[in-house]
Amino acid sequence: MRNRAVLLRQRPIAGIDDQTFELDTRDSPDLRDGDIRVEVKYISLDPAMRPWVHDKPNYLPPVEIGAVMRAGGAGIVTASKHDDFEVGDAVQGMFGAQSIYVGPAAVATKIDTSIAPMEAYLGGLGGTGLAAYFGLLKVGDLRKDDKVLISAAAGAVGHIAVQIAKLKGAYVVGIAGGEAKCRNVVETFGADACIDYKSESVADRLPDLFEGGIDLYFDNVGGEILEAALDHLAMRARIVVSGAIGQYDHLDEVHAPRNYLNLIGPGARMQGLLNMHWAKHFPAARKELAAWHADGRIQFHRQIEDGIETFPQVLQMLFAGKNTGKLMLKV
Ligand code: NAP
């Protein structure tokens, strides 16, 4: 059985480019006891892939040169030497950027495709939906009268965060790049307003949009936008550090917030989010997200590109802002 795999060819010096990865075709190995074989149908594209190919560990060790690129995916079990999995089971897990996964079953979780299609388990019911859920409700301690700011608001995490914050009753302002994305953030995902950071100054817009300051900032981008939020905090504000896509290309010289001392006056806090820390609560969170989705209170927007051979170009779309909702590849 031939496996098509995306391998890390070289570490990018600046951004990921067409030379970062190479496609390899190889026989997939035989199964050992405890293994499953998965025909991968969808591969998730994530900004964290940039830190994963950096030469220093961040929250996970670097992907080795020549190794299959780390990636989440969803697919169907086609062979099993593990008692918990049967041929035909739909599963999601860290299967790598490849068409066939063979390895320990421990990386896989069974998914129920009668609740939502397989691809939803990479988006609204996957890592990005869960990051929005736990980031707002646990780390951010969202309250119904909060005034909430969310960056990368048209993206995979952002558009779910906007919708959850709205259904909980909060006032929500998104930040996104471009007029069309901003229109989506307001008209499709329901935010009260959106700042187009590519044509407007976020710092100039915040005083008008947040009288009394920001109660909760869900930060997906870092850098100057984080500084603008820090300059405009309400009492007891919370900043959820979900990620910093604007910083991932220069991880050794991250733009530190020059004004973090602004946390002191309002007794504000800034806290990291890693959804894996909430893993034991995933089933309950998925159930709630699926129920909101089923009754039309939130939508899972996704952008599906075609073909594993396009992996390097599709991944670059995240950094160029060429996606709305969850970006994934159909293998
Ligand atoms: P995404 O938002 O779907 O895609 C990334 C978006 O970021 C792009 O569409 C682009 O939108 C924006 N962007 C790109 N470069 C930017 C820059 N230099 N400055 C400002 N915005 C920029 O990606 P995602 O998967 O939802 O991830 C969003 C963030 O959440 C990332 O920081 C990621 O690392 C983080 N995350 C965290 C967890 C966790 O557990 N902590 C889990 C998943 C993701 P515009 O067109 O609007 O610029």
PDB file of all heavy atoms in Angstrom, residues 45-48 127-128 131 152 155-158 175-177 181 197-198 220-221 225 241-246 248 273-275 318-323 325-326, ligand 1:
ATOM      1  N   LEU A  45      -4.709  22.296   8.620  1.00  0.00           N
ATOM      2  CA  LEU A  45      -3.599  23.256   8.484  1.00  0.00           C
ATOM      3  C   LEU A  45      -3.677  24.208   9.672  1.00  0.00           C
ATOM      4  O   LEU A  45      -4.738  24.770   9.933  1.00  0.00           O
ATOM      5  CB  LEU A  45      -3.739  24.073   7.189  1.00  0.00           C
ATOM      6  CG  LEU A  45      -3.328  23.446   5.855  1.00  0.00           C
ATOM      7  CD1 LEU A  45      -1.906  22.938   5.896  1.00  0.00           C
ATOM      8  CD2 LEU A  45      -4.252  22.366   5.396  1.00  0.00           C
ATOM      9  N   ASP A  46      -2.552  24.363  10.372  1.00  0.00           N
ATOM     10  CA  ASP A  46      -2.561  25.142  11.609  1.00  0.00           C
ATOM     11  C   ASP A  46      -1.381  26.093  11.680  1.00  0.00           C
ATOM     12  O   ASP A  46      -0.252  25.686  11.353  1.00  0.00           O
ATOM     13  CB  ASP A  46      -2.500  24.183  12.807  1.00  0.00           C
ATOM     14  CG  ASP A  46      -3.778  23.384  12.940  1.00  0.00           C
ATOM     15  OD1 ASP A  46      -4.744  23.920  13.477  1.00  0.00           O
ATOM     16  OD2 ASP A  46      -3.816  22.232  12.464  1.00  0.00           O
ATOM     17  N   PRO A  47      -1.599  27.336  12.165  1.00  0.00           N
ATOM     18  CA  PRO A  47      -0.476  28.260  12.338  1.00  0.00           C
ATOM     19  C   PRO A  47       0.648  27.673  13.189  1.00  0.00           C
ATOM     20  O   PRO A  47       1.820  27.966  12.962  1.00  0.00           O
ATOM     21  CB  PRO A  47      -1.123  29.468  13.037  1.00  0.00           C
ATOM     22  CG  PRO A  47      -2.554  29.441  12.609  1.00  0.00           C
ATOM     23  CD  PRO A  47      -2.903  27.975  12.491  1.00  0.00           C
ATOM     24  N   ALA A  48       0.291  26.808  14.153  1.00  0.00           N
ATOM     25  CA  ALA A  48       1.312  26.216  15.031  1.00  0.00           C
ATOM     26  C   ALA A  48       2.333  25.394  14.247  1.00  0.00           C
ATOM     27  O   ALA A  48       3.415  25.080  14.770  1.00  0.00           O
ATOM     28  CB  ALA A  48       0.652  25.338  16.089  1.00  0.00           C
ATOM     29  N   GLY A 127      -9.637  20.954  17.341  1.00  0.00           N
ATOM     30  CA  GLY A 127      -8.753  21.778  18.164  1.00  0.00           C
ATOM     31  C   GLY A 127      -9.090  23.256  18.144  1.00  0.00           C
ATOM     32  O   GLY A 127      -8.969  23.939  19.171  1.00  0.00           O
ATOM     33  N   THR A 128      -9.528  23.763  17.002  1.00  0.00           N
ATOM     34  CA  THR A 128      -9.778  25.208  16.927  1.00  0.00           C
ATOM     35  C   THR A 128     -11.086  25.592  17.628  1.00  0.00           C
ATOM     36  O   THR A 128     -11.137  26.590  18.351  1.00  0.00           O
ATOM     37  CB  THR A 128      -9.776  25.688  15.465  1.00  0.00           C
ATOM     38  OG1 THR A 128     -10.641  24.858  14.678  1.00  0.00           O
ATOM     39  CG2 THR A 128      -8.371  25.634  14.889  1.00  0.00           C
ATOM     40  N   ALA A 131     -10.362  25.361  21.271  1.00  0.00           N
ATOM     41  CA  ALA A 131      -9.556  26.485  21.760  1.00  0.00           C
ATOM     42  C   ALA A 131     -10.459  27.701  22.008  1.00  0.00           C
ATOM     43  O   ALA A 131     -10.314  28.403  23.020  1.00  0.00           O
ATOM     44  CB  ALA A 131      -8.458  26.839  20.759  1.00  0.00           C
ATOM     45  N   ALA A 152      -7.905  37.944  14.653  1.00  0.00           N
ATOM     46  CA  ALA A 152      -8.065  36.871  13.641  1.00  0.00           C
ATOM     47  C   ALA A 152      -9.497  36.332  13.706  1.00  0.00           C
ATOM     48  O   ALA A 152      -9.739  35.120  13.714  1.00  0.00           O
ATOM     49  CB  ALA A 152      -7.026  35.763  13.825  1.00  0.00           C
ATOM     50  N   GLY A 155     -11.005  33.740  11.306  1.00  0.00           N
ATOM     51  CA  GLY A 155     -10.272  32.485  11.171  1.00  0.00           C
ATOM     52  C   GLY A 155     -10.940  31.346  11.921  1.00  0.00           C
ATOM     53  O   GLY A 155     -12.056  31.477  12.444  1.00  0.00           O
ATOM     54  N   ALA A 156     -10.230  30.219  11.968  1.00  0.00           N
ATOM     55  CA  ALA A 156     -10.809  28.989  12.525  1.00  0.00           C
ATOM     56  C   ALA A 156     -11.189  29.150  13.997  1.00  0.00           C
ATOM     57  O   ALA A 156     -12.322  28.883  14.392  1.00  0.00           O
ATOM     58  CB  ALA A 156      -9.810  27.846  12.343  1.00  0.00           C
ATOM     59  N   VAL A 157     -10.244  29.603  14.819  1.00  0.00           N
ATOM     60  CA  VAL A 157     -10.549  29.823  16.237  1.00  0.00           C
ATOM     61  C   VAL A 157     -11.461  31.043  16.373  1.00  0.00           C
ATOM     62  O   VAL A 157     -12.471  31.017  17.076  1.00  0.00           O
ATOM     63  CB  VAL A 157      -9.246  30.061  17.050  1.00  0.00           C
ATOM     64  CG1 VAL A 157      -9.563  30.448  18.481  1.00  0.00           C
ATOM     65  CG2 VAL A 157      -8.344  28.832  17.013  1.00  0.00           C
ATOM     66  N   GLY A 158     -11.087  32.099  15.659  1.00  0.00           N
ATOM     67  CA  GLY A 158     -11.751  33.388  15.843  1.00  0.00           C
ATOM     68  C   GLY A 158     -13.245  33.356  15.546  1.00  0.00           C
ATOM     69  O   GLY A 158     -14.046  33.892  16.327  1.00  0.00           O
ATOM     70  N   ILE A 175     -11.439  41.620  14.993  1.00  0.00           N
ATOM     71  CA  ILE A 175     -10.397  42.275  14.189  1.00  0.00           C
ATOM     72  C   ILE A 175     -10.060  41.304  13.062  1.00  0.00           C
ATOM     73  O   ILE A 175      -9.843  40.110  13.318  1.00  0.00           O
ATOM     74  CB  ILE A 175      -9.124  42.550  15.019  1.00  0.00           C
ATOM     75  CG1 ILE A 175      -9.443  43.447  16.230  1.00  0.00           C
ATOM     76  CG2 ILE A 175      -8.040  43.188  14.144  1.00  0.00           C
ATOM     77  CD1 ILE A 175      -8.258  43.629  17.187  1.00  0.00           C
ATOM     78  N   ALA A 176     -10.068  41.787  11.833  1.00  0.00           N
ATOM     79  CA  ALA A 176      -9.746  40.904  10.702  1.00  0.00           C
ATOM     80  C   ALA A 176      -9.141  41.739   9.585  1.00  0.00           C
ATOM     81  O   ALA A 176      -9.269  42.972   9.567  1.00  0.00           O
ATOM     82  CB  ALA A 176     -10.994  40.180  10.216  1.00  0.00           C
ATOM     83  N   GLY A 177      -8.497  41.045   8.647  1.00  0.00           N
ATOM     84  CA  GLY A 177      -7.800  41.734   7.561  1.00  0.00           C
ATOM     85  C   GLY A 177      -8.657  41.842   6.306  1.00  0.00           C
ATOM     86  O   GLY A 177      -8.906  40.838   5.641  1.00  0.00           O
ATOM     87  N   LYS A 181     -13.645  40.227   4.810  1.00  0.00           N
ATOM     88  CA  LYS A 181     -13.585  39.415   6.041  1.00  0.00           C
ATOM     89  C   LYS A 181     -14.352  40.102   7.162  1.00  0.00           C
ATOM     90  O   LYS A 181     -15.060  39.463   7.929  1.00  0.00           O
ATOM     91  CB  LYS A 181     -12.138  39.210   6.475  1.00  0.00           C
ATOM     92  CG  LYS A 181     -11.459  38.061   5.766  1.00  0.00           C
ATOM     93  CD  LYS A 181     -10.214  37.637   6.516  1.00  0.00           C
ATOM     94  CE  LYS A 181      -9.544  36.508   5.773  1.00  0.00           C
ATOM     95  NZ  LYS A 181      -8.354  36.020   6.441  1.00  0.00           N
ATOM     96  N   TYR A 197      -7.868  45.678  10.360  1.00  0.00           N
ATOM     97  CA  TYR A 197      -6.556  46.174  10.798  1.00  0.00           C
ATOM     98  C   TYR A 197      -5.642  46.495   9.624  1.00  0.00           C
ATOM     99  O   TYR A 197      -4.613  47.146   9.786  1.00  0.00           O
ATOM    100  CB  TYR A 197      -5.892  45.174  11.758  1.00  0.00           C
ATOM    101  CG  TYR A 197      -5.283  43.953  11.090  1.00  0.00           C
ATOM    102  CD1 TYR A 197      -3.933  43.902  10.784  1.00  0.00           C
ATOM    103  CD2 TYR A 197      -6.067  42.858  10.758  1.00  0.00           C
ATOM    104  CE1 TYR A 197      -3.370  42.792  10.163  1.00  0.00           C
ATOM    105  CE2 TYR A 197      -5.518  41.742  10.139  1.00  0.00           C
ATOM    106  CZ  TYR A 197      -4.172  41.716   9.836  1.00  0.00           C
ATOM    107  OH  TYR A 197      -3.628  40.619   9.214  1.00  0.00           O
ATOM    108  N   LYS A 198      -6.044  46.055   8.412  1.00  0.00           N
ATOM    109  CA  LYS A 198      -5.187  46.350   7.254  1.00  0.00           C
ATOM    110  C   LYS A 198      -5.444  47.754   6.726  1.00  0.00           C
ATOM    111  O   LYS A 198      -4.619  48.304   6.003  1.00  0.00           O
ATOM    112  CB  LYS A 198      -5.393  45.304   6.164  1.00  0.00           C
ATOM    113  CG  LYS A 198      -4.776  43.955   6.562  1.00  0.00           C
ATOM    114  CD  LYS A 198      -4.722  42.951   5.456  1.00  0.00           C
ATOM    115  CE  LYS A 198      -3.928  41.726   5.908  1.00  0.00           C
ATOM    116  NZ  LYS A 198      -4.186  40.540   5.097  1.00  0.00           N
ATOM    117  N   ASN A 220      -5.100  36.187  19.211  1.00  0.00           N
ATOM    118  CA  ASN A 220      -4.598  35.173  18.275  1.00  0.00           C
ATOM    119  C   ASN A 220      -3.377  35.656  17.500  1.00  0.00           C
ATOM    120  O   ASN A 220      -2.791  34.865  16.756  1.00  0.00           O
ATOM    121  CB  ASN A 220      -5.694  34.819  17.261  1.00  0.00           C
ATOM    122  CG  ASN A 220      -6.782  33.970  17.875  1.00  0.00           C
ATOM    123  OD1 ASN A 220      -6.496  33.018  18.594  1.00  0.00           O
ATOM    124  ND2 ASN A 220      -8.029  34.313  17.605  1.00  0.00           N
ATOM    125  N   VAL A 221      -3.007  36.939  17.653  1.00  0.00           N
ATOM    126  CA  VAL A 221      -2.000  37.490  16.738  1.00  0.00           C
ATOM    127  C   VAL A 221      -0.767  38.105  17.412  1.00  0.00           C
ATOM    128  O   VAL A 221       0.292  38.158  16.795  1.00  0.00           O
ATOM    129  CB  VAL A 221      -2.638  38.521  15.761  1.00  0.00           C
ATOM    130  CG1 VAL A 221      -3.799  37.904  15.012  1.00  0.00           C
ATOM    131  CG2 VAL A 221      -3.065  39.793  16.450  1.00  0.00           C
ATOM    132  N   ILE A 225      -1.120  44.682  17.866  1.00  0.00           N
ATOM    133  CA  ILE A 225      -2.557  44.599  18.194  1.00  0.00           C
ATOM    134  C   ILE A 225      -2.728  44.251  19.672  1.00  0.00           C
ATOM    135  O   ILE A 225      -3.577  44.815  20.375  1.00  0.00           O
ATOM    136  CB  ILE A 225      -3.275  43.597  17.251  1.00  0.00           C
ATOM    137  CG1 ILE A 225      -3.270  44.159  15.819  1.00  0.00           C
ATOM    138  CG2 ILE A 225      -4.693  43.322  17.722  1.00  0.00           C
ATOM    139  CD1 ILE A 225      -3.883  43.263  14.756  1.00  0.00           C
ATOM    140  N   VAL A 241      -4.113  34.387  25.921  1.00  0.00           N
ATOM    141  CA  VAL A 241      -3.056  34.247  24.920  1.00  0.00           C
ATOM    142  C   VAL A 241      -3.259  32.904  24.218  1.00  0.00           C
ATOM    143  O   VAL A 241      -2.776  31.861  24.661  1.00  0.00           O
ATOM    144  CB  VAL A 241      -1.655  34.336  25.562  1.00  0.00           C
ATOM    145  CG1 VAL A 241      -0.579  34.300  24.475  1.00  0.00           C
ATOM    146  CG2 VAL A 241      -1.535  35.601  26.399  1.00  0.00           C
ATOM    147  N   SER A 242      -4.015  32.972  23.126  1.00  0.00           N
ATOM    148  CA  SER A 242      -4.305  31.765  22.345  1.00  0.00           C
ATOM    149  C   SER A 242      -3.145  31.471  21.406  1.00  0.00           C
ATOM    150  O   SER A 242      -2.768  30.319  21.193  1.00  0.00           O
ATOM    151  CB  SER A 242      -5.594  31.989  21.547  1.00  0.00           C
ATOM    152  OG  SER A 242      -5.672  31.141  20.437  1.00  0.00           O
ATOM    153  N   GLY A 243      -2.583  32.509  20.835  1.00  0.00           N
ATOM    154  CA  GLY A 243      -1.480  32.345  19.895  1.00  0.00           C
ATOM    155  C   GLY A 243      -1.019  33.710  19.431  1.00  0.00           C
ATOM    156  O   GLY A 243      -1.539  34.746  19.865  1.00  0.00           O
ATOM    157  N   ALA A 244      -0.028  33.719  18.538  1.00  0.00           N
ATOM    158  CA  ALA A 244       0.532  34.984  18.065  1.00  0.00           C
ATOM    159  C   ALA A 244       1.029  34.792  16.636  1.00  0.00           C
ATOM    160  O   ALA A 244       2.232  34.811  16.379  1.00  0.00           O
ATOM    161  CB  ALA A 244       1.652  35.447  18.985  1.00  0.00           C
ATOM    162  N   ILE A 245       0.097  34.595  15.727  1.00  0.00           N
ATOM    163  CA  ILE A 245       0.512  34.262  14.358  1.00  0.00           C
ATOM    164  C   ILE A 245       1.435  35.325  13.767  1.00  0.00           C
ATOM    165  O   ILE A 245       2.322  35.008  12.973  1.00  0.00           O
ATOM    166  CB  ILE A 245      -0.699  33.977  13.437  1.00  0.00           C
ATOM    167  CG1 ILE A 245      -0.206  33.404  12.102  1.00  0.00           C
ATOM    168  CG2 ILE A 245      -1.600  35.193  13.254  1.00  0.00           C
ATOM    169  CD1 ILE A 245      -1.262  32.801  11.227  1.00  0.00           C
ATOM    170  N   GLY A 246       1.289  36.576  14.194  1.00  0.00           N
ATOM    171  CA  GLY A 246       2.145  37.642  13.678  1.00  0.00           C
ATOM    172  C   GLY A 246       3.593  37.516  14.132  1.00  0.00           C
ATOM    173  O   GLY A 246       4.471  38.228  13.632  1.00  0.00           O
ATOM    174  N   TYR A 248       5.190  34.278  14.637  1.00  0.00           N
ATOM    175  CA  TYR A 248       5.721  32.923  14.456  1.00  0.00           C
ATOM    176  C   TYR A 248       6.912  32.856  13.493  1.00  0.00           C
ATOM    177  O   TYR A 248       7.672  31.882  13.535  1.00  0.00           O
ATOM    178  CB  TYR A 248       4.626  31.973  13.975  1.00  0.00           C
ATOM    179  CG  TYR A 248       3.556  31.661  15.023  1.00  0.00           C
ATOM    180  CD1 TYR A 248       2.380  30.991  14.663  1.00  0.00           C
ATOM    181  CD2 TYR A 248       3.714  32.011  16.355  1.00  0.00           C
ATOM    182  CE1 TYR A 248       1.406  30.696  15.598  1.00  0.00           C
ATOM    183  CE2 TYR A 248       2.735  31.725  17.295  1.00  0.00           C
ATOM    184  CZ  TYR A 248       1.578  31.060  16.911  1.00  0.00           C
ATOM    185  OH  TYR A 248       0.613  30.764  17.839  1.00  0.00           O
ATOM    186  N   LEU A 273      -3.306  29.858  26.853  1.00  0.00           N
ATOM    187  CA  LEU A 273      -4.316  28.827  26.590  1.00  0.00           C
ATOM    188  C   LEU A 273      -3.644  27.713  25.807  1.00  0.00           C
ATOM    189  O   LEU A 273      -2.968  27.981  24.810  1.00  0.00           O
ATOM    190  CB  LEU A 273      -5.438  29.435  25.729  1.00  0.00           C
ATOM    191  CG  LEU A 273      -6.274  28.442  24.900  1.00  0.00           C
ATOM    192  CD1 LEU A 273      -7.238  27.681  25.785  1.00  0.00           C
ATOM    193  CD2 LEU A 273      -7.030  29.155  23.793  1.00  0.00           C
ATOM    194  N   LEU A 274      -3.795  26.488  26.247  1.00  0.00           N
ATOM    195  CA  LEU A 274      -3.403  25.347  25.412  1.00  0.00           C
ATOM    196  C   LEU A 274      -4.528  24.343  25.557  1.00  0.00           C
ATOM    197  O   LEU A 274      -4.755  23.820  26.657  1.00  0.00           O
ATOM    198  CB  LEU A 274      -2.061  24.760  25.858  1.00  0.00           C
ATOM    199  CG  LEU A 274      -1.497  23.689  24.914  1.00  0.00           C
ATOM    200  CD1 LEU A 274      -1.259  24.228  23.506  1.00  0.00           C
ATOM    201  CD2 LEU A 274      -0.202  23.109  25.459  1.00  0.00           C
ATOM    202  N   ASN A 275      -5.243  24.109  24.472  1.00  0.00           N
ATOM    203  CA  ASN A 275      -6.475  23.336  24.668  1.00  0.00           C
ATOM    204  C   ASN A 275      -6.201  21.920  25.183  1.00  0.00           C
ATOM    205  O   ASN A 275      -7.037  21.342  25.858  1.00  0.00           O
ATOM    206  CB  ASN A 275      -7.394  23.381  23.436  1.00  0.00           C
ATOM    207  CG  ASN A 275      -6.759  22.825  22.202  1.00  0.00           C
ATOM    208  OD1 ASN A 275      -5.789  22.090  22.301  1.00  0.00           O
ATOM    209  ND2 ASN A 275      -7.298  23.161  21.046  1.00  0.00           N
ATOM    210  N   LEU A 318      -2.476  30.549   5.401  1.00  0.00           N
ATOM    211  CA  LEU A 318      -2.812  31.024   6.756  1.00  0.00           C
ATOM    212  C   LEU A 318      -2.063  32.312   7.074  1.00  0.00           C
ATOM    213  O   LEU A 318      -2.599  33.223   7.711  1.00  0.00           O
ATOM    214  CB  LEU A 318      -2.425  29.978   7.798  1.00  0.00           C
ATOM    215  CG  LEU A 318      -3.238  28.690   7.873  1.00  0.00           C
ATOM    216  CD1 LEU A 318      -2.568  27.719   8.839  1.00  0.00           C
ATOM    217  CD2 LEU A 318      -4.662  28.983   8.347  1.00  0.00           C
ATOM    218  N   PHE A 319      -0.798  32.368   6.635  1.00  0.00           N
ATOM    219  CA  PHE A 319       0.058  33.505   6.992  1.00  0.00           C
ATOM    220  C   PHE A 319      -0.191  34.698   6.074  1.00  0.00           C
ATOM    221  O   PHE A 319       0.178  35.822   6.388  1.00  0.00           O
ATOM    222  CB  PHE A 319       1.535  33.057   6.985  1.00  0.00           C
ATOM    223  CG  PHE A 319       1.773  31.982   8.015  1.00  0.00           C
ATOM    224  CD1 PHE A 319       1.609  30.640   7.699  1.00  0.00           C
ATOM    225  CD2 PHE A 319       2.078  32.320   9.325  1.00  0.00           C
ATOM    226  CE1 PHE A 319       1.777  29.648   8.663  1.00  0.00           C
ATOM    227  CE2 PHE A 319       2.247  31.345  10.298  1.00  0.00           C
ATOM    228  CZ  PHE A 319       2.096  29.993   9.962  1.00  0.00           C
ATOM    229  N   ALA A 320      -0.825  34.417   4.937  1.00  0.00           N
ATOM    230  CA  ALA A 320      -1.185  35.502   4.014  1.00  0.00           C
ATOM    231  C   ALA A 320      -2.643  35.922   4.211  1.00  0.00           C
ATOM    232  O   ALA A 320      -3.141  36.794   3.495  1.00  0.00           O
ATOM    233  CB  ALA A 320      -0.967  35.033   2.578  1.00  0.00           C
ATOM    234  N   GLY A 321      -3.314  35.312   5.182  1.00  0.00           N
ATOM    235  CA  GLY A 321      -4.716  35.679   5.446  1.00  0.00           C
ATOM    236  C   GLY A 321      -5.667  35.261   4.339  1.00  0.00           C
ATOM    237  O   GLY A 321      -6.716  35.876   4.156  1.00  0.00           O
ATOM    238  N   LYS A 322      -5.341  34.187   3.638  1.00  0.00           N
ATOM    239  CA  LYS A 322      -6.193  33.789   2.503  1.00  0.00           C
ATOM    240  C   LYS A 322      -7.225  32.737   2.890  1.00  0.00           C
ATOM    241  O   LYS A 322      -7.706  32.017   2.016  1.00  0.00           O
ATOM    242  CB  LYS A 322      -5.316  33.273   1.357  1.00  0.00           C
ATOM    243  CG  LYS A 322      -4.524  34.387   0.698  1.00  0.00           C
ATOM    244  CD  LYS A 322      -3.800  33.898  -0.530  1.00  0.00           C
ATOM    245  CE  LYS A 322      -3.030  35.043  -1.198  1.00  0.00           C
ATOM    246  NZ  LYS A 322      -1.912  34.563  -1.985  1.00  0.00           N
ATOM    247  N   ASN A 323      -7.515  32.630   4.162  1.00  0.00           N
ATOM    248  CA  ASN A 323      -8.558  31.678   4.579  1.00  0.00           C
ATOM    249  C   ASN A 323      -9.628  32.385   5.392  1.00  0.00           C
ATOM    250  O   ASN A 323      -9.376  33.388   6.053  1.00  0.00           O
ATOM    251  CB  ASN A 323      -7.952  30.559   5.431  1.00  0.00           C
ATOM    252  CG  ASN A 323      -7.474  31.069   6.790  1.00  0.00           C
ATOM    253  OD1 ASN A 323      -6.611  31.950   6.854  1.00  0.00           O
ATOM    254  ND2 ASN A 323      -8.029  30.559   7.844  1.00  0.00           N
ATOM    255  N   GLY A 325     -12.525  30.912   8.209  1.00  0.00           N
ATOM    256  CA  GLY A 325     -12.890  29.683   8.916  1.00  0.00           C
ATOM    257  C   GLY A 325     -11.744  28.692   8.901  1.00  0.00           C
ATOM    258  O   GLY A 325     -10.588  29.047   8.655  1.00  0.00           O
ATOM    259  N   LYS A 326     -12.086  27.440   9.135  1.00  0.00           N
ATOM    260  CA  LYS A 326     -11.060  26.403   9.315  1.00  0.00           C
ATOM    261  C   LYS A 326     -10.483  25.959   7.976  1.00  0.00           C
ATOM    262  O   LYS A 326     -11.197  25.463   7.110  1.00  0.00           O
ATOM    263  CB  LYS A 326     -11.694  25.200  10.023  1.00  0.00           C
ATOM    264  CG  LYS A 326     -10.773  24.026  10.171  1.00  0.00           C
ATOM    265  CD  LYS A 326      -9.580  24.336  11.057  1.00  0.00           C
ATOM    266  CE  LYS A 326      -8.417  23.388  10.790  1.00  0.00           C
ATOM    267  NZ  LYS A 326      -7.183  23.859  11.416  1.00  0.00           N
TER     268      LYS A 326
HETATM  269  P1  NAP B   1      -6.783  31.148  11.357  1.00  0.00           P
HETATM  270  O1  NAP B   1      -7.225  32.275  12.221  1.00  0.00           O
HETATM  271  O2  NAP B   1      -7.799  30.346  10.641  1.00  0.00           O
HETATM  272  O3  NAP B   1      -5.754  31.652  10.275  1.00  0.00           O
HETATM  273  C1  NAP B   1      -4.789  32.561  10.605  1.00  0.00           C
HETATM  274  C2  NAP B   1      -5.290  33.999  10.362  1.00  0.00           C
HETATM  275  O4  NAP B   1      -4.425  34.876  11.044  1.00  0.00           O
HETATM  276  C3  NAP B   1      -5.229  34.421   8.910  1.00  0.00           C
HETATM  277  O5  NAP B   1      -6.378  34.052   8.195  1.00  0.00           O
HETATM  278  C4  NAP B   1      -5.071  35.923   9.017  1.00  0.00           C
HETATM  279  O6  NAP B   1      -6.334  36.542   9.037  1.00  0.00           O
HETATM  280  C5  NAP B   1      -4.429  36.128  10.402  1.00  0.00           C
HETATM  281  N1  NAP B   1      -3.049  36.603  10.274  1.00  0.00           N
HETATM  282  C6  NAP B   1      -2.054  36.036   9.548  1.00  0.00           C
HETATM  283  N2  NAP B   1      -0.915  36.746   9.716  1.00  0.00           N
HETATM  284  C7  NAP B   1      -1.219  37.773  10.551  1.00  0.00           C
HETATM  285  C8  NAP B   1      -0.458  38.845  11.107  1.00  0.00           C
HETATM  286  N3  NAP B   1       0.851  38.998  10.833  1.00  0.00           N
HETATM  287  N4  NAP B   1      -1.101  39.723  11.918  1.00  0.00           N
HETATM  288  C9  NAP B   1      -2.412  39.584  12.189  1.00  0.00           C
HETATM  289  N5  NAP B   1      -3.185  38.585  11.714  1.00  0.00           N
HETATM  290  C10 NAP B   1      -2.577  37.683  10.906  1.00  0.00           C
HETATM  291  O7  NAP B   1      -5.871  30.182  12.235  1.00  0.00           O
HETATM  292  P2  NAP B   1      -6.312  29.408  13.548  1.00  0.00           P
HETATM  293  O8  NAP B   1      -6.002  27.974  13.358  1.00  0.00           O
HETATM  294  O9  NAP B   1      -7.679  29.822  13.933  1.00  0.00           O
HETATM  295  O10 NAP B   1      -5.298  29.987  14.623  1.00  0.00           O
HETATM  296  C11 NAP B   1      -5.460  31.295  15.127  1.00  0.00           C
HETATM  297  C12 NAP B   1      -4.555  31.455  16.352  1.00  0.00           C
HETATM  298  O11 NAP B   1      -4.988  30.547  17.361  1.00  0.00           O
HETATM  299  C13 NAP B   1      -3.100  31.147  16.061  1.00  0.00           C
HETATM  300  O12 NAP B   1      -2.291  32.047  16.783  1.00  0.00           O
HETATM  301  C14 NAP B   1      -2.942  29.737  16.593  1.00  0.00           C
HETATM  302  O13 NAP B   1      -1.620  29.441  16.952  1.00  0.00           O
HETATM  303  C15 NAP B   1      -3.884  29.784  17.778  1.00  0.00           C
HETATM  304  N6  NAP B   1      -4.385  28.480  18.240  1.00  0.00           N
HETATM  305  C16 NAP B   1      -4.239  28.210  19.555  1.00  0.00           C
HETATM  306  C17 NAP B   1      -4.690  27.014  20.060  1.00  0.00           C
HETATM  307  C18 NAP B   1      -4.459  26.740  21.501  1.00  0.00           C
HETATM  308  O14 NAP B   1      -4.817  25.694  22.021  1.00  0.00           O
HETATM  309  N7  NAP B   1      -3.853  27.709  22.185  1.00  0.00           N
HETATM  310  C19 NAP B   1      -5.326  26.081  19.225  1.00  0.00           C
HETATM  311  C20 NAP B   1      -5.505  26.404  17.886  1.00  0.00           C
HETATM  312  C21 NAP B   1      -5.012  27.619  17.392  1.00  0.00           C
HETATM  313  P3  NAP B   1      -6.516  38.079   8.572  1.00  0.00           P
HETATM  314  O15 NAP B   1      -6.846  38.022   7.125  1.00  0.00           O
HETATM  315  O16 NAP B   1      -7.629  38.542   9.434  1.00  0.00           O
HETATM  316  O17 NAP B   1      -5.216  38.744   8.802  1.00  0.00           O
END
